[in-house]
Amino acid sequence: MPDTMRLLPFSELLNRIFSEYRSTGSVFGLPAGSWYRKSDERTFEFFGERAETPIGPAAGPHTQLAQNIVAAYLTGSRFIELKTVQVLDALEIEKPCIATPDEGYNTEWSTELSLDEAWQEYAKAWIALHLIEEVWGLRVSAAPRSFIFNMSVGYDLAGITSERVQQFIDRMLDSSHEPRFHRWLQEASETAPRLLAGTELEAGARAVPDLAAAVGSRISGSVTLSTLHGCPPREIESICRHLMEDKGLDVWVKLNPTLLGFDSVRSILDRLGYDYVSLDREGFEHDLQYSSAIEVITALREAAAASGRRFGIKLSNTLPTVNTAGRLPGEQMYMSGRPLYPLAITLAAQLAQEFDGALPISFSAGISPQNIAAVFATGIRPITSCTLFLKPGGYTRQLQLAREIEQAAEPPAAGIDLEKLSRLATQAISDRNADKQFRGTDEVRVPGELPAFDCYRAPCVSACAIGQHVPEYIRLVGEQRYGEALELIYERNALPAITGHICDHQCQLVCSRLDYEGCLNIRELKKIAAEQGYSEYRTRAPGRAVTRDTNCAVVGAGPAGLSAACFLAREGFAVTVFEREAHAGGVVRNVIPPFRLPADAIEQDISFIAGHGVEFRFGADPQLTAQTLRAQGFGPIVVTIGAEVDNEIPLAGDRSRVIRSLEFLWDYRGNAREVRLSGRVAVVGGGNTAMDAARAALTLPEVEEVTVLYRRSEAQMPADREEYHNAIKDGVRFGFLRNPERLETDGTLTVRVMELGEPDEGGRARPVATDRTEELSVDTLITAVGERVDSEMLARFGIPLDSSEAPRVDPHTYETALA
């Protein structure tokens, strides 16, 4: 795909629209069933013009080409803010220039088209939308059209008053002197009937010959001014005066969130979890200041009244940030999306108060289905979006916005409802949907390189270690076809009941619904299939017979051993599992607490596998070797001993109070008659093992309090968020950026206070020791800092490993292997 935009000839644009509709019932990939059709005749006024919805795309990538504008219109846009143009219209823009891992960032700030090309695209879109309204009957009101085009220009007075930008503005105000405009009108009138011939829409084509009268030559009568950060107040005022007084335009001037001041912006971002966003205090000081903005707005309102024009503000421009991510070129990038919403709505409340609710406000900052109705109800409009449309779903997301507007409370007839807006601004700085944790830091990304062709694959499937058919079984569960869903899961997963409770669900971390209302609870849906569909599946499951003259041995009856045995048996092998304990299950049976994984779920999966003809030999010799098994007639040997050796921590002093997490959890699960623990307990670690140990310890009657100590920050803690929140709910305390160093015989634990330094090889900031220490009093210290494999046992099976090179399990979880 080239990174240079190529303009479609108008005839080709029309051909694509109507030919696609004839063959697939869609336009630019949007099925007719997804087009917005207004349910009432209500219209909204914007500076003397009326539109049937108060929403649309903001100046950006969605209003640069005619086909983008058509797609936006079909899904509900009626106030269309065109991409900003400027005199420097031949810039070489380094790509990529936009990234939206959650909030959006961009490093480009103008159209990629020349001024002439931009006018062409807007004029073609203007004619095409009139034609589409006639043909498909999408206009409800009696107005000449249902939509408004609002042009956008920048960035300084010299550029805007240049001959070429002036020509662009004049063309937008009146295209009647443009031969190309008349030719496109003629093409629309002549081409559409031919393209519609033989379709159910042919009758609607009778209106097409009169299209020229309906279209008119005035494409836009209003403008949004976008200035560079740091533009002097008087220059902003001069530009707006020129646009109102000399060009006869109604003006929206786009203001920057920097008006709130560095400290306020920093505080709001930090409160909502965007502490990693790097800001430049000096840039705030050079930008337009709040007091100067009030003076400029006051002067321009007076100028508008004197010239018979209208004036309002657009909130907000993007927020300049320091480019620390390295994904985009340059030293600075501009932030949009979710975190911009609380900043812009806070600024809106302040400015509305300054002008007693009489200042028109256009809004575009992190708009979503969760907040658009509340914003609309304050009297703010139009409301435009950009980053939202860059997420999965694209333009179709606007349908939900349009429906939310239809059901929203009626806004005031004129002006802003100050009480509603003030209340909304207060709510915004603690809004769950604006909070970073609502979505988290995970990316919807397919690992590896995409092939040139057939590149689509659901991220949840790619992220799953065994590539389960996630979308398919979710659909079956949704249709309550639980037995079929479980059968599909069993194709790749021999342990659905276990993994339905404790799988590390990498699928959820890349679920494309992250960018909507949050990821689907895929693991829970798997559990539902396992619970609801098991009986049905077993009644019709085919029997398994040994069809191969080969005996296979599996050493270890943990999750890996059980899975290996199941799939070998399915292939017709005779399989025998050797387990040193008295029952199967390994870590999931003997270590993970029952409040996280009930015994009946484990037994269901083991029973299913045994039903495949797998033989279990419990109490096997711990010193079992490959030679012993060979002597018994086994051919292939699968060694699945797991990682059950706790890692040590470097702790000076008395270690008599130290217990390893797996040892403690082993006893707690019921492998010991009594678990003796009392007083104050500290757990070292930040993974699921640490959460389990802490929660389990807190249930013991003689334990007074439990504190988890983790040497990194809360944001870096690898435990599942739900396990962390469960631990908090149970009463577990947490000490972040704390690393134990010494334990005295009296129970005094010296803890080193850490701070975050430069990123390590994994991208996480390194914990760096400070010169500060703290002391805690503990009766027991439980270590949960990861596990490693028993290299000596591997060596007995012909897998020699130096102990220093033994494979290690990531400290955050002993569940990784369950995927």
Side-chain angles (χ1 to χ4, degrees):
M1 178 182 294
D3 66 355
T4 302
M5 292 186 177
R6 307 292 184 191
L7 307 191
L8 284 175
F10 189 58
S11 59
E12 179 61 23
L13 177 71
L14 296 180
N15 183 60
R16 290 197 181 187
I17 290 172
F18 293 106
S19 295
E20 180 184 338
Y21 183 84
R22 292 184 68 163
S23 60
T24 65
S26 65
V27 171
F28 298 132
L30 297 168
S34 70
W35 298 354
Y36 177 72
R37 297 179 184 274
K38 192 168 172 61
S39 59
D40 58 56
E41 296 185 9
R42 182 174 52 161
T43 61
F44 304 90
E45 183 177 340
F46 305 98
F47 289 172
E49 296 184 273
R50 304 197 74 86
E52 291 188 350
T53 72
I55 61 174
H62 300 92
T63 55
Q64 193 158 209
L65 296 175
Q67 54 264 46
N68 298 135
I69 296 171
V70 169
Y73 169 85
L74 290 174
T75 52
S77 293
R78 297 298 183 265
F79 184 95
I80 298 170
E81 187 181 273
L82 304 171
K83 176 71 170 170
T84 306
V85 299
Q86 61 143 340
V87 68
L88 300 176
D89 61 350
L91 297 174
E92 289 293 330
I93 298 175
E94 190 174 354
K95 306 290 180 61
C97 56
I98 299 176
T100 55
D102 180 5
E103 66 274 18
Y105 295 98
N106 73 84
T107 53
E108 58 83 24
W109 36 272
S110 69
T111 178
E112 295 180 57
L113 305 178
S114 69
L115 285 159
D116 180 64
E117 289 173 330
W119 171 79
Q120 290 184 52
E121 290 302 287
Y122 304 154
K124 288 186 288 188
W126 179 254
I127 296 170
L129 293 195
H130 282 85
L131 177 60
I132 287 170
E133 283 200 339
E134 293 290 345
V135 170
W136 276 289
L138 296 178
R139 186 176 71 254
V140 174
S141 66
R145 63 191 61 88
S146 67
F147 55 90
I148 295 170
F149 276 16
N150 169 250
M151 66 178 117
S152 178
V153 300
Y155 290 93
D156 59 14
L157 182 60
I160 291 171
T161 56
S162 67
E163 181 180 352
R164 295 175 63 244
V165 175
Q166 291 287 298
Q167 181 189 44
F168 170 83
I169 294 173
D170 291 341
R171 282 172 161 177
M172 296 294 287
L173 286 168
D174 184 5
S175 293
S176 63
H177 303 296
E178 290 291 331
R180 286 175 293 182
F181 187 77
H182 292 288
R183 187 175 74 245
W184 295 329
L185 278 171
Q186 187 68 23
E187 286 182 12
S189 298
E190 295 177 353
T191 305
R194 175 176 55 81
L195 293 172
L196 295 172
T199 73
E200 76 279 10
L201 297 173
E202 186 174 7
R206 297 192 189 101
V208 172
D210 299 324
L211 194 62
V215 170
S217 60
R218 186 181 178 89
I219 298 174
S220 177
S222 66
V223 62
T224 296
L225 171 65
S226 181
T227 60
L228 294 174
H229 291 274
C231 185
R234 293 305 149 215
E235 181 158 8
I236 296 174
E237 183 179 338
S238 297
I239 297 171
C240 290
R241 284 181 178 275
H242 165 70
L243 293 171
M244 289 189 293
E245 297 169 358
D246 300 334
K247 307 308 292 185
L249 287 162
D250 297 324
V251 176
W252 303 92
V253 62
K254 191 181 295 184
L255 299 179
N256 303 329
T258 52
L259 285 174
L260 289 173
F262 179 89
D263 293 332
S264 293
V265 171
R266 182 75 275 167
S267 175
I268 292 173
L269 291 178
D270 290 349
R271 178 170 179 173
L272 291 169
Y274 299 91
D275 50 345
Y276 58 88
V277 174
S278 182
L279 304 177
D280 179 14
R281 183 183 289 273
E282 186 176 350
F284 277 70
E285 294 170 353
H286 290 162
D287 215 342
L288 180 67
Q289 300 299 296
Y290 188 82
S291 59
S292 298
I294 299 302
E295 293 176 5
V296 169
I297 293 171
T298 300
L300 289 173
R301 294 183 74 211
E302 294 173 355
S307 61
R309 304 318 314 164
R310 301 171 182 87
F311 172 80
I313 62 170
K314 169 73 180 286
L315 298 177
S316 79
N317 210 334
T318 50
L319 177 69
T321 67
V322 180
N323 187 358
T324 57
R327 292 186 173 185
L328 301 179
E331 298 179 356
Q332 191 174 57
M333 55 188 185
Y334 302 92
M335 186 186 76
S336 62
R338 289 198 305 137
L340 203 58
Y341 168 67
L343 299 176
I345 206 70
T346 299
L347 181 57
Q350 292 184 14
L351 292 172
Q353 192 70 45
E354 293 279 358
F355 295 94
D356 198 27
L359 177 66
I361 299 177
S362 170
F363 195 89
S364 179
I367 284 296
S368 71
Q370 288 76 31
N371 60 33
I372 190 170
V375 173
F376 174 69
T378 67
I380 287 175
R381 58 183 181 269
I383 302 172
T384 57
S385 303
C386 183
T387 303
L388 182 74
F389 299 155
L390 297 174
K391 301 292 186 178
Y395 296 103
T396 59
R397 288 181 166 230
Q398 191 163 229
L399 282 169
Q400 191 174 357
L401 299 183
R403 299 304 180 200
E404 291 291 332
I405 290 291
E406 286 185 354
Q407 300 172 22
E410 194 69 25
I416 304 294
D417 187 320
L418 295 177
E419 183 180 347
K420 282 185 178 180
L421 183 54
S422 176
R423 187 164 58 247
L424 187 59
T426 300
Q427 296 169 350
I429 57 176
S430 58
D431 187 348
R432 171 180 174 268
N433 297 297
D435 195 291
K436 182 64 182 179
Q437 283 196 13
F438 173 75
R439 188 197 183 284
T441 57
D442 303 298
E443 296 182 55
V444 180
R445 178 183 293 270
V446 175
E449 294 185 5
L450 290 175
F453 300 98
D454 193 24
C455 59
Y456 177 79
R457 191 183 187 195
C460 53
V461 176
S462 298
C464 178
I466 55 177
Q468 291 185 102
H469 310 295
V470 177
E472 290 85 352
Y473 78 67
I474 286 177
R475 177 179 59 82
L476 291 170
V477 170
E479 295 172 358
Q480 299 184 4
R481 296 159 64 183
Y482 303 117
E484 295 174 66
L486 184 58
E487 182 177 9
L488 192 62
I489 293 169
Y490 273 136
E491 286 187 13
R492 302 258 177 120
N493 185 351
L495 307 170
I498 292 174
T499 55
H501 284 82
I502 62 167
C503 173
D504 68 341
H505 53 59
Q506 293 299 307
C507 54
Q508 291 181 205
L509 305 184
V510 298
C511 174
S512 59
R513 299 302 302 185
L514 279 170
D515 295 313
Y516 290 79
E517 69 288 333
C519 70
L520 296 178
N521 197 336
I522 300 172
R523 185 174 68 186
E524 184 67 20
L525 294 171
K526 184 190 303 174
K527 182 170 73 173
I528 291 172
E531 292 175 346
Q532 302 294 326
Y534 188 66
S535 297
E536 176 191 339
Y537 175 73
R538 288 305 301 267
T539 59
R540 57 187 178 82
R544 303 290 178 178
V546 175
T547 59
R548 300 173 186 265
D549 189 20
T550 303
N551 293 325
C552 298
V554 176
V555 180
L562 291 170
S563 296
C566 182
F567 288 115
L568 286 169
R570 284 189 192 178
E571 294 301 316
F573 292 99
V575 183
T576 302
V577 179
F578 294 84
E579 170 57 51
R580 69 185 179 188
E581 304 301 332
H583 42 243
V587 164
V588 297
R589 175 69 173 268
N590 297 309
V591 174
I592 296 179
F595 54 73
R596 273 235 287 150
L597 179 59
D600 57 355
I602 303 171
E603 290 303 323
Q604 176 177 312
D605 284 341
I606 294 173
S607 174
F608 172 76
I609 293 166
H612 283 64
V614 174
E615 178 186 353
F616 289 90
R617 296 186 187 178
F618 299 113
D621 183 0
Q623 303 301 314
L624 199 64
T625 65
Q627 290 76 17
T628 303
L629 294 173
R630 292 274 189 258
Q632 296 179 29
F634 291 99
I637 300 172
V638 183
V639 181
T640 60
I641 60 173
E644 298 184 5
V645 180
D646 280 288
N647 292 321
E648 297 282 355
I649 64 170
L651 184 71
D654 179 24
R655 298 186 65 92
S656 63
R657 299 170 182 264
V658 178
I659 302 176
R660 296 172 180 174
S661 57
L662 294 190
E663 175 186 346
F664 165 65
L665 290 170
W666 178 279
D667 292 342
Y668 182 85
R669 181 78 202 208
N671 294 297
R673 291 185 177 181
E674 186 177 7
V675 181
R676 298 300 300 270
L677 216 61
S678 62
R680 294 173 295 274
V681 177
V683 179
V684 184
N688 285 346
T689 313
M691 302 303 109
D692 284 350
R695 295 178 66 196
L698 203 56
T699 66
L700 299 176
E702 296 183 16
V703 170
E704 299 172 8
E705 65 180 46
V706 177
T707 302
V708 172
L709 302 173
Y710 181 54
R711 65 189 184 128
R712 298 179 186 266
S713 68
E714 176 187 350
Q716 294 178 309
M717 188 170 61
D720 292 346
R721 290 288 100 181
E722 60 194 294
E723 300 307 325
Y724 169 53
H725 291 144
N726 285 336
I728 293 176
K729 184 177 180 180
D730 288 352
V732 175
R733 301 179 179 182
F734 285 84
F736 295 106
L737 293 170
R738 300 294 186 270
N739 192 38
E741 288 191 344
R742 184 178 184 84
L743 182 59
E744 306 294 346
T745 55
D746 65 354
T748 300
L749 179 65
T750 301
V751 177
R752 177 69 58 182
V753 178
M754 313 295 283
E755 64 182 12
L756 297 180
E758 295 298 316
D760 60 18
E761 60 277 2
R764 293 193 300 175
R766 296 178 186 275
V768 179
T770 69
D771 57 1
R772 293 183 293 129
T773 61
E774 298 174 347
E775 290 186 350
L776 302 177
S777 178
V778 302
D779 296 287
T780 304
L781 183 71
I782 300 175
T783 62
V785 291
E787 302 83 35
R788 55 187 173 83
V789 299
D790 185 342
S791 56
E792 293 181 5
M793 187 170 183
L794 289 179
R796 290 202 304 272
F797 283 92
I799 311 173
L801 292 171
D802 182 273
S803 59
S804 64
E805 300 175 353
R808 296 170 65 88
V809 173
D810 189 315
H812 81 274
T813 177
Y814 44 36
E815 295 159 21
T816 304
L818 298 182

